[in-house]
């Protein structure tokens, strides 16, 4: 079920490949910029397995139903589509923890934690004859090594840590904490099936994906703020910033006073790559970069004269023999205007 896609479109044209790329977690500057413009950055990487075939087929079905108008790689909701969107949002679970989407690949994190909980549960009952979750060998090895580095207190430690997170999650939405708890696998317990979870929680099956995503993002964020056995287990999977490690290195160097050219030379990366890193930082970490260093006042004044009206309608028109540098300023100015409101 991909009808959740209705929530990502509006009554104004939106680039269909940007929405697709955002869901798949593709962090190009184009995707990040337009995702921010559309207000859908919280969906970054939300559906990494979404196929183009499934996505394009859904677009065609919605167009045939009169919900979408497709034109020139864009799509916008019709009046009928806007009504369908409102109906969808009123009758389905709405994601609430997308601001933490960058913390981890929640599905990989979930797999590792589920295997660890299964191992600890079976250990608590002194049971060695069971079938562990079928996961890649490197994940099994990570859980095994983690387990061997702990003593018999691991059972009480994991129980305490799980209880603490679930208590906090229940304060937000008790359905999320119940879903999380009853999907765990342990001794003589295989956890809720999707059908059972849907029935027990009184929700539609299509909402389970988003509820599980929210529960695991909350879990990942909570562990990132604490210490303990489970934090130790997932720490290698947790990001400390929305930026890639390379972009973070560029940002650190820039904030340390180095110029774009100096960073490019020191890191042996193209100037264009350094600019892309800084644009990522401007988009994903608003307010943390001094834009005055990146966008000189005289350049901004010239851009103000050249580009007016809604940011989404601007079309880049190079005015110099260095369009790459000029586009960098253009995109910076777009982001600045958009973030200034």
């Amino acid at each position: 079920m991909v009808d959740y896609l209705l929530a990502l479109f509006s009554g104004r044209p939106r680039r269909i490949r940007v929405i697709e790329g955002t869901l798949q977690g593709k962090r190009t500057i184009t995707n990040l910029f337009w995702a921010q413009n559309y207000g859908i950055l919280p969906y970054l990487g939300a559906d990494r397995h979404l196929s183009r075939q499934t996505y394009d087929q859904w677009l065609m079905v919605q167009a045939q139903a009169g919900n979408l108008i497709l034109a020139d790689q864009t799509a916008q909701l019709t009046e009928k589509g806007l009504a369908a969107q409102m109906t969808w949002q009123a009758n389905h679970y709405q994601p609430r923890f997308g601001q933490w989407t960058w913390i981890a690949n929640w599905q990989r994190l979930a797999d590792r934690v589920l295997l660890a909980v299964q191992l600890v549960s079976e250990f608590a009952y002194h049971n060695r004859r069971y079938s562990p979750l079928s996961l890649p060998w490197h994940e099994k090895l990570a859980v095994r090594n983690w387990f061997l580095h702990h003593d018999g207190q691991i059972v009480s430690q994991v129980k305490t840590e799980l209880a603490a997170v679930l208590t906090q999650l229940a304060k937000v939405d008790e359905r999320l904490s119940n879903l999380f708890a009853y999907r765990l696998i342990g001794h003589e317990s295989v956890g809720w099936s999707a059908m059972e979870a849907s029935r027990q929680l009184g929700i539609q099956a299509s909402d389970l994906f988003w509820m599980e995503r929210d529960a695991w993002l909350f879990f990942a964020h909570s562990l990132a703020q604490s210490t303990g056995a489970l934090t130790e287990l997932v720490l290698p999977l947790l990001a400390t910033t929305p930026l890639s490690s390379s972009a973070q290195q560029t940002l650190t160097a820039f904030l340390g006073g180095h110029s774009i050219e100096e960073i490019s030379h020191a890191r042996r990366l193209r100037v264009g790559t350094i600019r892309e890193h800084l644009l990522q930082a401007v988009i994903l970490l608003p307010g943390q970069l001094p834009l005055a260093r990146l966008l000189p006042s005289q350049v901004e004044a010239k851009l103000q004269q050249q580009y007016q009206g809604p940011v989404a309608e601007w079309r880049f028109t190079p005015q110099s023999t260095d369009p790459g540098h000029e586009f960098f300023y253009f995109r910076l100015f777009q982001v600045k205007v958009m973030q200034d409101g």
Side-chain angles (χ1 to χ4, degrees):
M1 288 288 291
V2 291
D3 283 345
Y4 72 83
L5 289 165
L6 279 170
L8 306 184
F9 289 89
S10 77
R12 298 179 65 84
R14 290 187 173 181
R15 301 184 180 199
I16 61 176
R17 297 305 166 208
V18 165
I19 292 176
E20 176 189 17
T22 299
L23 288 165
Q24 294 171 342
K26 297 178 179 177
R27 298 189 176 207
T28 65
I29 296 302
T30 296
N31 281 346
L32 293 177
F33 169 76
W34 287 107
Q36 186 180 61
N37 185 275
Y38 299 156
I40 62 171
L41 266 182
Y43 285 87
L44 183 63
D47 196 353
R48 297 175 187 273
H49 302 298
L50 176 68
S51 70
R52 174 158 296 186
Q53 180 181 1
T54 298
Y55 179 63
D56 286 354
Q57 184 177 8
W58 179 86
L59 290 172
M60 292 302 300
V61 169
Q62 295 301 317
Q64 292 167 3
N67 290 332
L68 278 179
I69 298 174
L70 301 177
D72 192 27
Q73 292 300 301
T74 65
Q76 68 184 88
L77 292 172
T78 62
E79 289 296 324
K80 181 180 178 182
L82 287 168
Q85 182 188 67
M86 291 181 64
T87 299
W88 170 265
Q89 293 173 330
N91 292 291
H92 291 269
Y93 177 82
Q94 299 303 303
R96 61 183 75 192
F97 298 133
Q99 73 272 25
W100 297 326
T101 189
W102 55 269
I103 288 180
N105 178 335
W106 70 269
Q107 289 165 315
R108 183 182 176 191
L109 180 139
D111 285 344
R112 181 174 292 191
V113 172
L114 288 173
L115 178 58
V117 169
Q118 181 189 26
L119 174 58
V120 171
S121 175
E122 298 291 0
F123 172 73
Y125 286 89
H126 309 288
N127 181 31
R128 295 186 177 185
R129 302 178 64 84
Y130 65 94
S131 298
L133 285 172
S134 179
L135 296 179
W137 171 249
H138 65 272
E139 292 293 348
K140 291 182 178 179
L141 185 62
V143 173
R144 175 183 178 275
N145 291 340
W146 165 80
F147 179 78
L148 292 176
H149 276 85
H150 289 271
D151 56 24
Q153 298 300 313
I154 188 66
V155 176
S156 60
Q157 289 174 357
V158 168
K159 181 179 179 181
T160 300
E161 291 174 56
L162 283 175
V165 176
L166 290 174
T167 298
Q168 293 303 313
L169 186 57
K171 294 178 181 178
V172 178
D173 190 331
E174 192 171 2
R175 295 175 303 171
L176 294 180
S177 62
N178 286 336
L179 177 62
F180 190 102
Y182 285 103
R183 290 281 258 183
L184 295 175
I185 298 169
H187 183 70
E188 297 184 351
S189 173
V190 296
W192 279 347
S193 65
M195 184 180 298
E196 187 174 8
S198 178
R199 184 178 67 253
Q200 292 285 354
L201 298 175
I203 60 172
Q204 299 190 48
S206 58
D207 292 340
L208 280 176
F209 173 84
W210 297 103
M211 293 181 71
E212 284 196 289
R213 175 176 179 259
D214 265 357
W216 284 106
L217 287 178
F218 185 94
F219 185 77
H221 180 262
S222 298
L223 292 187
Q225 309 302 310
S226 63
T227 59
L230 288 177
T231 298
E232 180 185 329
L233 171 70
V234 303
L235 196 59
L237 304 181
L238 301 180
T240 57
T241 169
L243 302 179
S244 66
S245 59
S246 185
Q248 184 61 49
Q249 290 179 50
T250 294
L251 174 61
T252 300
F254 185 79
L255 293 177
H258 297 283
S259 68
I260 290 176
E261 291 71 21
E262 288 172 341
I263 299 171
S264 172
H265 178 74
R267 300 199 59 206
R268 297 182 180 180
L269 295 173
R270 294 183 302 107
V271 166
T273 300
I274 302 303
R275 289 173 181 159
E276 289 180 2
H277 288 170
L278 294 176
L279 281 171
Q280 279 189 41
V282 169
I283 294 171
L284 295 175
L285 298 170
Q288 294 195 25
L289 262 175
L291 287 181
R293 277 187 61 196
L294 290 171
L295 185 63
S297 57
Q298 65 272 22
V299 173
E300 183 176 355
K302 184 178 179 180
L303 289 169
Q304 284 176 340
Q305 294 178 348
Q306 188 175 354
Y307 299 101
Q308 298 179 0
V311 170
E313 297 177 6
W314 294 358
R315 295 295 178 266
F316 174 64
T317 52
Q319 304 288 313
S320 71
T321 57
D322 188 359
H325 195 187
E326 195 174 350
F327 184 78
F328 175 64
Y329 284 146
F330 168 76
R331 190 64 94 198
L332 274 176
F333 182 57
Q334 275 189 306
V335 174
K336 184 177 186 299
V337 170
M338 188 171 61
Q339 291 181 352
D340 287 347

